[in-house]
Amino acid sequence: MKKYLSYLLVASTIFIVSCDEDLTETFAPGQLTEEVAIVTSTDMQRLLNSGYNLLTDRTAPVFTSVFTDEATKGFNNGGQGVSAEIVFNIFPSSAAPTAIWQSNYFALARINRVIDRSNSIVAASPADQEFINRLRAEALILRAYAHLNILAYFSPDTKDNAALAGILADRVIGADEAPLRTTNQAFYTLIHSDLDTALSILATNTAPAPAVFQANRNFAKGLKARAYAYKGDYPNAEIWADDVIATSGVSLATPAQYRQVFWTDNEPANVEVIFDLKRTAQQNAQGTNLHNGWCSIRPSVGGSPFYEVGRSLFNILDATPSDVRRGVIVAPSSIISADYQNEADYLGSDRLVLHKHGGVATGSATAATSATNAFNNDHKIMRISEMYLIKAECRAAANDFAGAATAIDAIRDARFGSDQAAPVYGNVTAAWKGVLDERRLELAFEGHRFIDIKRLGVLAGITGLDRDPMDYNGLNIPGGDPVNLPLNSYKWALPIPQSEINANGAIQQNAGY
C-alpha cells in the first residue's frame, strides 16, 4: 500500500489537481509539501476534484459486464477479453483488479489529505469556514464510497464480519508503512462513521448545497442503505432506503427522462440521479470515456463495438419492447437475427450494440463519441431506483412477498410509462430471484451485476451466470460456459493485485490465487 498511498503530494501527482499551477509555482524543487501546497479552501477543492476524477475509472462497469452475463464478444473484437474476463481467467497480475484497487486507493490518498488539511487550514471568513466544512463532508462521503467499493470486490463474503476486505485507509498512510488488510467489520465501522459525520456536517452547513455531481446528503444516506444491504443488515438498510425515497425529492424518471439520464445527461433536476461523477467535453479521450469501455469510437454499429449486449440479456429485454430499458440499452443501429441459433456466422449476423452510455433514439449519430471536446457521459453512481431495489430486498428478507413486489412494480411502472401488473412471488426464493432479475435489467452496465450475483445468487436459487450458449459455443469460446464459474468459485473475490504485493509483501492474498 505504501506504493499507492504515500508518494503523492511530495511527488509529481500534485500537479494533476488542476490545470492552474497556483499551488506549485512559488516553490523551489524539494520544498513542496502538503503544509505549503494546501493552504486555502481553493487548494482543498482542487485536490478533492482530483479525487473525484480518479473515481471515474471505467474498469468496474466494463469488467463486471464482460465477466458476468451482461456483455459478450462483439463483431469488432480484436481479442479484448477473449482469453481473460469472458473465460473467467483472472490473476493477481490481471488489469481489471489492479485498476479497481488502484483507482480507489489513489483517490483515497487525495481524499485523506483533504480531510486531514480541513482541520488546520485557516478560513478567510465565516463563509469560507462553512465551505471548508462542506468539502470535508464531501471527502468523508467519498472515503466511505471508495472503501465500500474495495470491500465489495475484494472481500470473499460481504456479509461476513470476519472476512478480509482491503487496507483500511482512514488516514494518510506513511511511506515507511506496510499495512495489512482488515476485516469487513472494520470497513463497515469506518464507512458508517464517515457517513454519519458527513450527514451531521451537512445538516447545519450554510455553504451552497453540493450538486448532483458532488458527494451530497442524499448520496450519503443512499450509501448507508447500500452498505447495510451488502452486509445483509436489512432492518437498517430499509430505514435508509425509505429515508431517501421519502425525503430526497428525487423521483423515478419517466421513459423520456430515462433516455436523457443515460444518453445526454440533461435530465431535469431531481429526477432519477442521486449522484454521478462528472465528465466534461475537455476530458474526452478514448482511454477514459465511459462508452469506450465497449466500443472504439461511438456506441453504434459503425462505431467499432468490441463488446456487445449478451444474447441472454437481449432476449429478456426484447420480450417487453415497451419497457424503455430495451431501447436505452440496445442501439437502433443493431443488426438482429430472428434465427440467431442457426446462423452460420453468428458474430457477423447478430450485432447487438450497447448504447446505454451516450446513445441515440434513431440512427447512428450517437450523443457520445471519441473526439476532441466531444460529449462523453457522466458516471451514474447512484440512482433512486436502487433505493426501491434495496427496499425490495428488505421486504424479501422479511418474507413480505407483496411488499417486495410493490417496490419492484414502482420501477416497472416508471419504465413502461404506465401502470403494470405487480409481480407475484410464491415463495422467498422466487422473491429473491425477482429482485435479482430486476436489478439485472435496471442496473445493467453500471457495475452492479458481479456484486449482485456474489451476494444474492444463492438466495435467488440460481446456479450461475445466465449466458446464451451462442455467446460461448457459438463463438468458439467454450471456456465461457457458465459452468466454469459456479457460485462457490473463489473468483467472486478479486485477487489482491501483484503490484500491491510487490510493494507490500506481507499483505494477505485471497484464497485460490
Side-chain angles (χ1 to χ4, degrees):
M1 179 52 58
K2 58 186 177 180
K3 179 178 179 180
Y4 296 150
L5 295 185
S6 304
Y7 306 150
L8 292 169
L9 296 185
V10 294
S12 63
T13 50
I14 186 64
F15 292 91
I16 70 168
V17 171
S18 171
C19 293
D20 187 336
E21 295 184 355
D22 289 347
L23 282 174
T24 61
E25 62 184 5
T26 60
F27 301 103
Q31 290 185 316
L32 183 59
T33 65
E34 295 163 35
E35 288 73 19
V36 295
I38 310 170
V39 296
T40 69
S41 59
T42 299
D43 299 338
M44 283 181 62
Q45 177 75 83
R46 289 169 176 160
L47 184 56
L48 188 59
N49 286 347
S50 176
Y52 276 110
N53 184 55
L54 285 163
L55 290 171
T56 63
D57 182 87
R58 71 190 182 205
T59 303
V62 177
F63 162 78
T64 290
S65 70
V66 180
F67 193 79
T68 64
D69 48 18
E70 292 180 339
T72 189
K73 178 182 177 180
F75 66 92
N76 281 128
N77 188 284
Q80 295 95 329
V82 174
S83 60
E85 291 89 350
I86 291 176
V87 294
F88 319 120
N89 280 338
I90 191 161
F91 309 101
S93 58
S94 296
T98 301
I100 293 171
W101 180 274
Q102 289 186 1
S103 61
N104 282 284
Y105 279 117
F106 281 163
L108 282 167
R110 289 151 174 80
I111 290 163
N112 277 329
R113 284 169 168 84
V114 171
I115 295 170
D116 182 62
R117 293 298 293 157
S118 70
N119 293 317
S120 55
I121 289 178
V122 177
S125 66
D128 190 47
Q129 184 61 58
E130 290 295 300
F131 182 53
I132 290 170
N133 293 345
R134 197 198 84 183
L135 293 176
R136 177 180 175 83
E138 288 183 50
L140 288 165
I141 296 168
L142 291 180
R143 186 163 76 177
Y145 169 66
H147 277 91
L148 190 57
N149 288 341
I150 293 293
L151 184 155
Y153 280 101
F154 293 93
S155 173
D157 183 354
T158 64
K159 298 175 183 178
D160 181 358
N161 286 337
L164 293 179
I167 293 169
L168 196 71
D170 59 348
R171 58 188 171 80
V172 176
I173 297 178
D176 58 346
E177 296 184 71
L180 301 179
R181 294 168 70 192
T182 54
T183 63
N184 287 349
Q185 183 58 58
F187 264 59
Y188 283 127
T189 298
L190 177 67
I191 287 166
H192 288 295
S193 175
D194 280 352
L195 294 173
D196 289 342
T197 301
L199 286 168
S200 177
I201 293 170
L202 294 175
T204 59
N205 191 259
T206 59
V212 70
F213 53 83
Q214 296 165 316
N216 56 70
R217 189 178 182 188
N218 291 331
F219 182 45
K221 292 179 179 181
L223 275 178
K224 288 184 72 70
R226 183 187 288 179
Y228 279 126
Y230 283 8
K231 189 177 181 179
D233 182 348
Y234 287 113
N236 277 310
E238 188 163 24
I239 288 170
W240 288 99
D242 282 344
D243 188 314
V244 177
I245 292 169
T247 70
S248 67
V250 179
S251 61
L252 289 163
T254 66
Q257 293 167 343
Y258 198 74
R259 297 181 187 97
Q260 291 176 303
V261 166
F262 288 105
W263 291 349
T264 53
D265 293 347
N266 65 341
E267 73 280 354
N270 299 319
V271 168
E272 193 66 40
V273 180
I274 291 174
F275 173 64
D276 63 21
L277 288 166
K278 186 69 177 174
R279 294 275 299 179
T280 66
Q282 290 74 24
Q283 290 175 297
N284 190 299
Q286 189 180 58
T288 58
N289 294 335
L290 181 56
H291 69 276
N292 288 134
W294 296 271
C295 65
S296 296
I297 302 171
R298 66 193 319 154
S300 69
V301 74
S304 192
F306 46 85
Y307 293 129
E308 297 175 17
V309 179
R311 239 303 167 172
S312 163
L313 176 58
F314 173 79
N315 288 344
I316 297 169
L317 292 165
D318 203 44
T320 53
S322 56
D323 183 339
V324 69
R325 293 173 293 196
R326 194 278 188 203
V328 164
I329 292 173
V330 183
S333 59
S334 297
I335 299 172
I336 302 168
S337 170
D339 189 27
Y340 71 95
Q341 298 99 325
N342 296 310
E343 292 284 1
D345 178 17
Y346 171 63
L347 187 63
S349 60
D350 196 55
R351 304 182 178 189
L352 309 177
V353 180
L354 170 69
H355 80 147
K356 186 170 187 177
H357 307 294
V360 66
T362 59
S364 58
T366 56
T369 190
S370 301
T372 302
N373 292 330
F375 174 79
N376 64 106
N377 289 88
D378 300 344
H379 294 230
K380 280 64 182 184
I381 302 302
M382 181 174 286
R383 299 187 285 111
I384 192 67
S385 59
E386 184 186 349
M387 297 299 105
Y388 284 89
L389 290 164
I390 291 174
K391 173 72 172 181
E393 277 189 54
C394 297
R395 291 295 84 211
N399 289 317
D400 177 9
F401 309 149
T406 297
I408 296 295
D409 189 50
I411 298 172
R412 291 185 181 177
D413 288 351
R415 301 302 171 244
F416 282 80
S418 61
D419 184 51
Q420 301 297 301
V424 177
Y425 306 126
N427 55 59
V428 68
T429 302
W432 282 116
K433 180 68 160 53
V435 171
L436 184 60
D437 287 349
E438 199 67 26
R439 289 183 69 92
R440 183 183 187 185
L441 299 181
E442 179 62 20
L443 303 175
F445 301 99
E446 296 179 58
H448 293 266
R449 183 68 171 165
F450 176 88
I451 300 165
D452 287 348
I453 294 177
K454 172 180 179 175
R455 65 190 186 86
L456 300 178
V458 172
L459 290 169
I462 66 172
T463 58
L465 301 178
D466 176 30
R467 287 181 173 179
D468 191 293
M470 292 299 290
D471 281 343
Y472 47 97
N473 290 336
L475 296 175
N476 196 27
I477 313 175
D481 188 330
V483 73
N484 294 314
L485 186 69
L487 293 185
N488 62 356
S489 171
Y490 66 88
K491 295 180 181 181
W492 291 104
L494 298 187
I496 304 306
Q498 188 62 47
S499 54
E500 179 64 39
I501 293 172
N502 292 343
N504 183 2
I507 193 169
Q508 312 95 312
Q509 180 58 276
N510 278 324
Y513 296 105

